[in-house]
Structures are given as C-alpha cells and as structure tokens.
Amino acid sequence: MTAIAEFLASQPLLALFITIALGYGLGAVSIKGFSLGSGAVLFVGLAIGALAPKSALPNTVGALGLLLFLYGVGIAYGAHFFKGLTSPEGIRSNLASIIGVLLALGAMLLAVKFMPGVALPEAMGAFAGAGTSTSALQAAMAVTGDSIPATGYSVAYPLGVAIPILILGLYNAWFKPKIAPQERISLQMYAVRVENAYVVGKTLEELSNWLPKGVDASTVSRDGQTHSAEVHGELALNDVVLITGVDGKVMEEAEKMIGVRVGDTFRRSYGELDYLRLFVSNPNMSGKTIREVKQMLKFETSILHLRRNDEDITTNLDLRLELGDQIGLLAAIENIRDLRRVFGDSVRAGGELGFASVGVGAALGLAVGAIPLYLPGLGRFTFGFAGLLVVALFLGMRRRTGRFVWSMPIQANLAIRNFGLTLFLAQVGMSSGQTFVNTVSQNGLTYLLLAALLAAVLTIAVLILTVYVFKIPFDLAAGVVSGATGNPAILAFTSRTLGTDKPDIGYAMIFPSMTILKIIVVQVVGAIGLG
C-alpha cells in the first residue's frame, strides 16, 4: 500500500483520472434501479485521498471545476430561475426550501445545546457540510477566524451528498411516484385551403394574430405561386395557407377556422418553394432576431420554426437566434446556397464556445462574489461562488449584451458542466480523504450522527413540503430537494434516475437563493453565538 501511495503521490494527474474512471464505473452499477451516478466520484476520491493524501491536486483545481459547473447551470437556466422567483410553483418551491434550511439550522442549534461534545464552530461546519455549501463553510471560517469549522464540514459533506441521494432513490423505488414522460415537442405543419369567408381579405399577419396562440401562418400559395407574409396581399378563397405549431389540438382548431386541410406542407406542385433545415453556425447570426434576419435577406424566405435543445419552437419576429439552433424555412431552390452561407449550416457550432464571453462572464461573477459586504453585528463577508452563480443566471436570462453572446449551444454547455462537476467531486474527495478518516476515528460518531441528522432533516422536510403540502410533481420536487441540499451530484443522480429535465429546472430555481440563505444564517448564528 505504501508503494501505491507513493506512486500516486508522484503522479497526481494519474490519480485524478483514476478517481474519475473508477467513480463513473462504480456510479454506473445499478441495484434494483438505484445507482450513485457521478456522485460515486466523490466516494472513490475519499478512498484514494485516504490511501494517498499527497496525490490530491490544489484546491484551485476543484474551484475551477465548480466554477465551470455553476457558470454552465446559470447560463442554461437563468430564465427558469427568475421565473421561479415570481411564478406560483417557484414561490412554493422556495418557501419549502427556506423552511427545510431553517429546520436544519434549528436542529444544529439544539445539538449544540443538548448533544455532548458538540461545539458551535464544528457544528456550523457540519451544517455547511450537510448542506454541501462551500460558501457557507467559508462564511463560518470567516466568523470563527480559524479553520475549525472545516472539521465538522469534512465529516458532514459526504453524508450531505449520500443521504439525499439515498432518500430520493429509496423514495422513488419504494413509492414509485408517477413521472410524466419527457414530452418531445415537434413542429406540425398543415397546408389549409381557405374556405371560411371571414378569412378572405385578411393578410397573413392579420390571420396569425387572429388564430389561436401558438399557431403561425407564414406562407400562402395561389395559382402556382408561393409567397411569404411580407410580400403577399389579402387572402382569397381557395388560397392554400401553411400554418405551423406544436400543439395538435390547437392546430386542428386553427384548421377549422380557416377551411380544409389538404396536406402537411407545400409540395412542389403548390409552388416554387422547398422546405429545408439549416444549422445556425455563423457567429454573426447569433443574437439576431427573426425580424433582423428577414431584413438582412435580399430574397423572399418564410422562416417557419426553430429547433433548440431537441424542441421545436414556433417563431416570432422578436425571437433571437443562438449558435447550434436548427432553423426550418421555405425558400426558392436557387436561394438555398446563399442561405447556407448566411446561416453557416455547420453542425460543429453545437460544440463551440465563445471563450471571450465565457471569460468575461466568469470574471464578472467572480468579481461580484469577491465584493466585501457588511451587515451590522455580522462584520464583513462575501458571497463567493454564490455571486458567480447569480451573475451567470442574470447573463443566462439576458442571452446577449452588445457583441457578447452569453448563451451557449446545449452540447457545449453540457460538456463544460459535466466536466466541471467531475473535476470538483474528484478533487474535493481526494483532498478530504485523510481528514475524513482522522475525524471519524477521533470524534467521528458524534459528528457523523449530527451530519446524518442535519442532512436527513433538510432532505425529508423539503421532500414532504413539496410533494405532499404543495403538490409539486416528484421530478420537479427532486430538483428542488437537490437545490436545497446543494450538491450537483444529487442533481446528477435525480436527473439520470428520473429521465426528465424537471430536476434541472427545480435545481436552478432553488440553488442560488438557498446558497445565499445558508451564507447569511451561518453569519448570523456565528456572530450571535461567538460574539
């Protein structure tokens, strides 16, 4: 064992990737539907860290991984987070999470008072570890002026990951809650012959405004000629109108309002336009609205829909394009080559990043997180990576500012998030392994019980409140629990187990606000209890 430890210590990068490989191998093992997923990287890291503590890479490596993960989450789910602050479902989710965090805090204070051998500094570290909040640990150490809270944190952190994963996994396996299948939104196109006299005399723009929400009329064919909304005049009987939408029932309603459906799209016999899909890979097109695109084109083109993140979106003039989008349109055959040049039409765009925007966005987030704040009685503190996440969420909502495009193609975003998450878990596990073993051997049972209590109280409270009190679907509730407990490994486990994107949305709505709340309550308790 000594030889292995010395070898790993001399090859820290090798030790890191052994941890990642073994972690993902272990995480893929499923026992009756229960698996650890990427969370297993942390536990393998603890084992390797205990065996070869000198193999751990600097904390900066883990911080870089956490930065990549949080920045990617913020960019991807900024709109969901700010919507969650105002939507009824988001408000209920935040309320359930606030109650869960405060109940865990109350359990910590009771343990300090009644549990032998538990001191406030270590207990604050255990609270931060049970909530897997590095920012809260940093706040606790700032209050105490030393690293004593890290002792409780090192014991509690693995349990703060393991217990929520176990509770959510066992709940899903035992109760088998109904999960609505992930709906794959696909565009539908109807070619409808005008037979309703009320439609006659309307322009395509007026018809689109009259049709049900979510249905767009973009192109019309008459006497063998096909034109888009911008150049066609008033509709007449027997014109064939192309309508698009994603809801079949609404499309059928729109069909009846116009006339009779005669097909699914314009075929060559209807006119001179052909349907095609193009990838948006030209950086100059990123961030431009459909209105701006139409003004740029020197020939007639009907833009029907846009496919983003495996979903078809009906277009409107203010919808902005992003790199990696796939746009569907009707255009004359002779213009197809020019359209490919305008949009780029390269699948490589899905994996490309605007590193200037990433650099500026991450730098802004780190700068905001480093701003010293002051509250009377609490002294100075910073938000750390919570500030980075808030900035990333704001930029994700904005999508673009001037020449800076903050949004990312989904493939690239997933790649940096998953790599960052893996890097963070491996480094933290490897650097905490020996401390974890030493603390457990000396004072372990007390702090293990405290950590288990805090993690269980937080997880169970939020789960009960979301599912049974606020009647939130389990897949979204699991994301809320992941956000309240705070660790991305929990989110990765729930997303993989449940197979929908609802956990990601719940996590994005909750994680930033709960991170900030944990920082504040640790500051308050530390200032009062140690003052």
Side-chain angles (χ1 to χ4, degrees):
M1 285 295 183
T2 303
I4 295 176
E6 291 177 353
F7 175 72
L8 293 177
S10 67
Q11 300 290 333
L13 284 177
L14 175 62
L16 174 70
F17 282 97
I18 287 176
T19 299
I20 292 172
L22 292 177
Y24 270 93
L26 178 61
V29 175
S30 177
I31 301 175
K32 294 185 177 181
F34 176 76
S35 61
L36 292 174
S38 58
V41 175
L42 174 69
F43 302 114
V44 173
L46 286 169
I48 290 182
L51 172 66
K54 293 183 180 180
S55 66
L57 289 165
N59 292 339
T60 306
V61 175
L64 173 62
L66 185 58
L67 181 152
L68 293 175
F69 177 80
L70 293 179
Y71 187 79
V73 167
I75 293 298
Y77 296 109
H80 291 293
F81 170 68
F82 287 104
K83 182 180 178 181
L85 294 178
T86 56
S87 68
E89 198 166 55
I91 292 172
R92 292 195 297 269
S93 298
N94 273 280
L95 179 58
S97 300
I98 291 171
I99 294 172
V101 170
L102 294 180
L103 286 174
L105 180 69
M108 181 204 78
L109 294 175
L110 289 174
V112 171
K113 187 172 182 179
F114 297 109
M115 203 169 178
V118 176
L120 182 59
E122 290 89 342
M124 289 193 300
F127 173 79
T132 64
S133 175
T134 304
S135 300
L137 172 63
Q138 293 170 339
M141 292 191 295
V143 171
T144 62
D146 52 41
S147 61
I148 292 177
T151 303
Y153 181 87
S154 64
V155 177
Y157 185 89
L159 294 177
V161 176
I163 287 179
I165 288 176
L166 289 170
I167 290 175
L168 290 171
L170 291 172
Y171 180 91
N172 184 57
W174 183 269
F175 293 100
K176 295 180 172 56
K178 292 183 178 179
I179 305 295
Q182 182 73 39
E183 182 181 2
R184 187 181 179 89
I185 300 176
S186 298
L187 182 79
Q188 300 185 44
M189 293 186 287
Y190 288 6
V192 184
R193 185 171 60 240
V194 175
E195 295 186 356
N196 185 344
Y198 185 79
V199 176
V200 174
K202 288 183 179 292
T203 65
L204 281 180
E205 183 177 358
E206 291 171 340
L207 178 62
S208 293
N209 293 333
W210 179 61
L211 291 174
K213 184 178 180 181
V215 177
D216 181 51
S218 58
T219 311
V220 64
S221 177
R222 178 191 297 169
D223 299 329
Q225 297 293 317
T226 306
H227 297 286
S228 63
E230 286 73 17
V231 299
H232 199 279
E234 296 178 347
L235 294 170
L237 286 175
N238 297 320
D239 284 350
V240 178
V241 177
L242 185 68
I243 61 174
T244 55
V246 296
D247 188 320
K249 292 183 179 179
V250 176
M251 288 286 287
E252 291 175 2
E253 179 184 346
E255 172 199 341
K256 294 176 182 178
M257 295 170 66
I258 299 172
V260 177
R261 179 180 176 184
V262 294
D264 295 331
T265 185
F266 288 148
R267 306 188 187 283
R268 290 301 304 278
S269 59
Y270 285 133
E272 76 280 7
L273 301 185
D274 264 5
Y275 172 78
L276 70 156
R277 290 192 183 207
L278 301 174
F279 283 98
V280 179
S281 60
N282 182 352
N284 294 326
M285 301 299 291
S286 180
K288 290 191 178 298
T289 64
I290 298 295
R291 188 192 311 276
E292 292 170 336
V293 172
K294 285 178 174 289
Q295 292 171 350
M296 287 176 54
L297 298 177
K298 298 179 180 179
F299 40 81
E300 182 184 347
T301 301
S302 295
I303 298 177
L304 303 180
H305 70 107
L306 183 144
R307 191 169 186 82
R308 177 181 298 163
N309 300 350
D310 292 335
E311 292 186 358
D312 281 304
I313 306 171
T314 52
T315 62
N316 60 68
L317 292 177
D318 295 320
L319 180 66
R320 294 188 180 275
L321 300 181
E322 297 180 5
L323 291 179
D325 286 346
Q326 193 178 23
I327 192 166
L329 42 81
L330 285 173
I333 294 177
E334 60 268 22
N335 294 328
I336 290 178
R337 179 176 296 179
D338 289 334
L339 285 168
R340 293 187 188 280
R341 176 182 55 79
V342 170
F343 290 104
D345 198 31
S346 171
V347 296
R348 292 180 59 185
E352 294 179 349
L353 282 172
F355 284 102
S357 297
V358 172
V360 171
L364 286 173
L366 292 172
V368 169
I371 294 174
L373 302 174
Y374 179 81
L375 286 177
L378 300 182
R380 295 183 180 276
F381 66 99
T382 64
F383 282 139
F385 277 153
L388 167 75
L389 180 57
V390 169
V391 170
L393 289 163
F394 177 75
L395 297 180
M397 178 191 66
R398 293 282 301 174
R399 314 302 288 172
R400 182 188 182 108
T401 304
R403 299 185 63 179
F404 289 104
V405 179
W406 311 116
S407 59
M408 305 177 193
I410 186 62
Q411 300 96 319
N413 190 294
L414 284 171
I416 69 165
R417 279 158 52 189
N418 289 335
F419 176 69
L421 169 65
T422 302
L423 201 61
F424 170 68
L425 293 175
Q427 192 279 327
V428 167
M430 293 171 68
S431 62
S432 303
Q434 190 175 53
T435 305
F436 176 76
V437 171
N438 292 339
T439 304
V440 169
S441 63
Q442 294 172 8
N443 217 356
L445 183 58
T446 299
Y447 286 108
L448 280 173
L449 289 174
L450 176 59
L453 171 66
L454 298 181
V457 167
L458 177 57
T459 303
I460 294 172
V462 177
L463 182 61
I464 290 175
L465 287 169
T466 51
V467 173
Y468 294 103
V469 177
F470 295 127
K471 307 299 182 183
I472 294 174
F474 177 68
D475 51 350
L476 181 61
V480 174
V481 172
S482 301
T485 52
N487 195 275
I490 306 167
L491 172 64
F493 168 78
T494 56
S495 297
R496 179 177 177 179
T497 302
L498 301 179
T500 77
D501 63 356
K502 293 293 183 66
D504 292 331
I505 295 172
Y507 184 91
M509 288 194 305
I510 299 302
F511 179 75
S513 51
M514 291 307 103
T515 298
I516 294 170
L517 177 62
K518 291 170 188 174
I519 292 171
I520 293 174
V521 297
V522 165
Q523 292 274 1
V524 171
V525 169
I528 295 174
L530 301 173

